[in-house]
Amino acid sequence: MMMTLAVLLGCSSESYPGIEYEPAIPDALRNDESGRSTGNGLPVSLSVTGPSFQIANISRGLGPLDDVGNTARFKNTRFYVFAFRDYPDEQGAWDYNPSFKQHSKDDNTDCLVDDSDNDWLGMPARVVIESGAVHMLRKNLRVDSILYYGSRHQDIAYNFYMYHIDDVNIDATNAHRDESGIYYDLELNGTQDVMTGHSIRFTDEMLRENYPGYSDLPAETQNHILNIGNYSAYSANYDVNPIIYMRHLLTQLKFYAYPADRSAMDIEFTEIQVEARYQGRLYVVSMDVDNLNFTFNDERKYITLMERQEDDVDKCQPYQPLTPSRYKIQWDDTMTSDDWTKNPPVHIGDDMMLPPDASFALRVVYKQKTHTSPDVYREIEANYQLKAPELEESMDPVTGEFCFLPSKSYVVKLGVFGGRIPELQVDLEGWSEGGDIDVPGDPTETEDE
């Protein structure tokens, strides 16, 4: 799956002082001109891909990335972008470690992209679903204020990073920016999706696989792109622009209730809770991309399943507790008791996003009308230990155990009977793939801010 996204970044057209290092562009390959640029260099553009990446209606408490149909909410999506100077690998002749403490606003040599109005965040971005363009939400953004690679520094390489955190405040109390990278101390409530992504360092195989035009370039040009080692103005001149590979860092749980026999009448679910870890540290920038992860402490608490507000059509309202009347289980004679999973289910609440774990404790509370008095309900509580399906897709590659893994979606099915504890079944569903988004034209030609 490839979603091509043009990224409009507000900044000056010349971001760097003079930097000279090897490998410098040979005179035979130098090209300071470009029809794609209105400034002194090439505009930065990105594409986003990944086996589990979806774009959706993300913002305050709007949950996982799983719905591309709601255009109004889609405008509230927030991603954040960083880019830092890179160093050539074993193919290059120069070794350099950037300082992640530097900021783009200070005209430093190491940081190309961050939010000049915020010391902790990356450059905020939103997606225009109709066109696929990603617009930076910078103050006083002008159509022509696109961030350019400087033409004087065409062979400076950069790593690009992108992340998404839904409904979490980032400030000086929980954000860190030091020589190891940029990271946040976070607390989750089950409604947030968390993603990180980074650009992939160049290899000849990677370039040929992802950029069809690369194979048609002269060998000398190919070698120079490869020797620079990462994305640069020089590579952009040949349409080799950053590809950000995104991944979900949390496990998604979905809850469905099924009528299991004729005694399942007038049953309403009032609460579902899952005991899970909820505090941890998220790295969004690091020279070692293996560190771009969410590490959690061992403290656990019960997290309550929530739902969107009923009138929340195109606004970003906070989640609310379950409304029992919306999750009513009612048997009818068209159903079968032989296999209750074939009966029509009721999707309870919104989906829950949790840190991966070997197992989860589950608490389910529901109520049912009594036969003696139709207006009186009795409450029933059931407790379970959720175990991951014993499938290869749920095997932890490190421990070899079956686990609830990140980037995986699991369906918790409850077979409901009248007056007795529901039966439980857990299935692996997996993230759904999104479609392609094509970006027409040059980003400087649009006035959609």
Side-chain angles (χ1 to χ4, degrees):
M1 173 184 60
M2 176 64 67
M3 302 179 185
T4 306
L5 307 175
V7 176
L8 309 185
L9 305 172
C11 194
S12 64
S13 62
E14 190 64 58
S15 298
Y16 286 86
I19 305 173
E20 298 297 335
Y21 71 96
E22 296 294 337
I25 300 176
D27 289 340
L29 299 179
R30 190 174 298 278
N31 178 9
D32 291 338
E33 303 300 326
S34 172
R36 297 175 58 197
S37 170
T38 59
N40 294 330
L42 289 163
V44 177
S45 63
L46 301 175
S47 63
V48 180
T49 187
S52 65
F53 181 73
Q54 299 169 14
I55 302 175
N57 47 346
I58 324 156
S59 189
R60 182 170 179 77
L62 289 183
L65 298 90
D66 57 5
D67 178 10
V68 298
N70 192 323
T71 302
R73 273 209 190 99
F74 203 89
K75 293 179 180 179
N76 297 304
T77 299
R78 294 293 180 270
F79 291 99
Y80 297 90
V81 181
F82 285 104
F84 285 90
R85 188 174 169 189
D86 192 22
Y87 61 94
D89 56 17
E90 64 275 5
Q91 298 182 81
W94 183 61
D95 191 288
Y96 181 81
N97 290 308
S99 171
F100 299 117
K101 297 173 71 174
Q102 290 192 5
H103 297 265
S104 62
K105 66 181 178 182
D106 300 325
D107 214 20
N108 287 313
T109 60
D110 286 353
C111 182
L112 176 68
V113 180
D114 67 357
D115 184 2
S116 62
D117 299 317
N118 189 299
D119 288 341
W120 310 111
L121 298 173
M123 179 71 75
R126 71 174 174 85
V127 177
V128 180
I129 186 61
E130 294 86 356
S131 67
V134 176
H135 289 254
M136 296 299 105
L137 304 180
R138 190 171 175 152
K139 293 180 181 178
N140 302 319
L141 178 65
R142 303 185 307 275
V143 173
D144 59 352
S145 57
I146 299 169
L147 178 65
Y148 294 95
Y149 296 107
S151 61
R152 291 192 295 118
H153 318 297
Q154 290 195 25
D155 47 2
I156 298 293
Y158 304 103
N159 275 320
F160 287 81
Y161 306 87
M162 181 180 275
Y163 70 96
H164 164 71
I165 306 173
D166 178 28
D167 189 25
V168 176
N169 292 324
I170 303 296
D171 54 34
T173 63
N174 62 352
H176 310 271
R177 188 165 182 165
D178 59 29
E179 298 301 336
S180 69
I182 300 172
Y183 52 96
Y184 310 127
D185 295 320
L186 303 179
E187 184 169 316
L188 304 178
N189 63 15
T191 69
Q192 304 114 328
D193 199 351
V194 178
M195 300 181 70
T196 60
H198 61 89
S199 55
I200 304 299
R201 291 185 61 80
F202 288 174
T203 65
D204 188 64
E205 180 182 6
M206 177 269 192
L207 290 167
R208 294 184 187 280
E209 181 177 335
N210 291 282
Y211 304 98
Y214 172 79
S215 298
D216 298 328
L217 296 175
E220 189 176 8
T221 302
Q222 292 182 20
N223 289 336
H224 195 69
I225 291 174
L226 187 60
N227 286 333
I228 290 175
N230 217 323
Y231 296 101
S232 64
Y234 186 84
S235 70
N237 197 45
Y238 298 97
D239 294 318
V240 178
N241 293 304
I243 297 176
I244 305 281
Y245 286 81
M246 300 291 292
R247 64 190 184 104
H248 296 274
L249 300 183
L250 300 179
T251 297
Q252 184 183 51
L253 295 183
K254 300 181 178 183
F255 297 90
Y256 289 87
Y258 296 74
D261 69 6
R262 289 177 173 80
S263 64
M265 302 290 287
D266 296 315
I267 294 173
E268 297 179 358
F269 279 81
T270 60
E271 190 173 57
I272 292 179
Q273 293 184 319
V274 177
E275 188 181 38
R277 296 179 292 180
Y278 64 99
Q279 294 177 322
R281 173 164 289 182
L282 172 68
Y283 262 89
V284 296
V285 172
S286 174
M287 184 59 72
D288 184 355
V289 295
D290 289 338
N291 291 336
L292 301 178
N293 214 331
F294 211 155
T295 57
F296 300 92
N297 61 34
D298 289 331
E299 184 177 351
R300 289 169 169 80
K301 71 175 183 180
Y302 274 96
I303 296 175
T304 301
L305 179 67
M306 308 286 279
E307 68 177 23
R308 291 189 177 101
Q309 295 192 34
E310 192 168 8
D311 60 348
D312 185 11
V313 177
D314 55 12
K315 296 181 180 180
C316 299
Q317 299 180 5
Y319 274 24
Q320 65 180 19
L322 296 181
T323 304
S325 60
R326 296 177 63 181
Y327 308 108
K328 190 170 184 176
I329 308 302
Q330 193 78 32
W331 177 272
D332 66 53
D333 291 335
T334 65
M335 300 176 182
T336 173
S337 58
D338 296 333
D339 183 358
W340 52 262
T341 63
K342 295 182 179 179
N343 293 333
V346 174
H347 185 191
I348 305 175
D350 259 66
D351 306 327
M352 188 177 285
M353 306 297 296
L354 300 173
D357 216 331
S359 63
F360 296 112
L362 171 67
R363 176 177 176 264
V364 176
V365 180
Y366 61 97
K367 60 183 182 180
Q368 183 178 23
K369 284 184 179 180
T370 63
H371 295 297
T372 55
S373 178
D375 296 327
V376 177
Y377 285 82
R378 63 172 179 172
E379 189 172 87
I380 300 172
E381 178 178 327
N383 293 275
Y384 308 88
Q385 194 70 24
L386 293 182
K387 295 183 178 180
E390 295 186 0
L391 301 170
E392 183 178 353
E393 293 87 345
S394 287
M395 181 176 290
D396 189 319
V398 177
T399 65
E401 298 177 347
F402 297 109
C403 294
F404 293 94
L405 297 179
S407 297
K408 302 290 184 182
S409 182
Y410 299 86
V411 177
V412 180
K413 299 177 180 179
L414 295 161
V416 182
F417 305 83
R420 78 177 226 224
I421 300 301
E423 293 182 3
L424 183 72
Q425 181 176 318
V426 181
D427 293 332
L428 175 65
E429 182 178 75
W431 296 93
S432 301
E433 292 189 355
D436 293 341
I437 299 179
D438 297 324
V439 182
D442 189 299
T444 62
E445 296 172 359
T446 176
E447 296 194 6
D448 183 357
E449 297 288 310

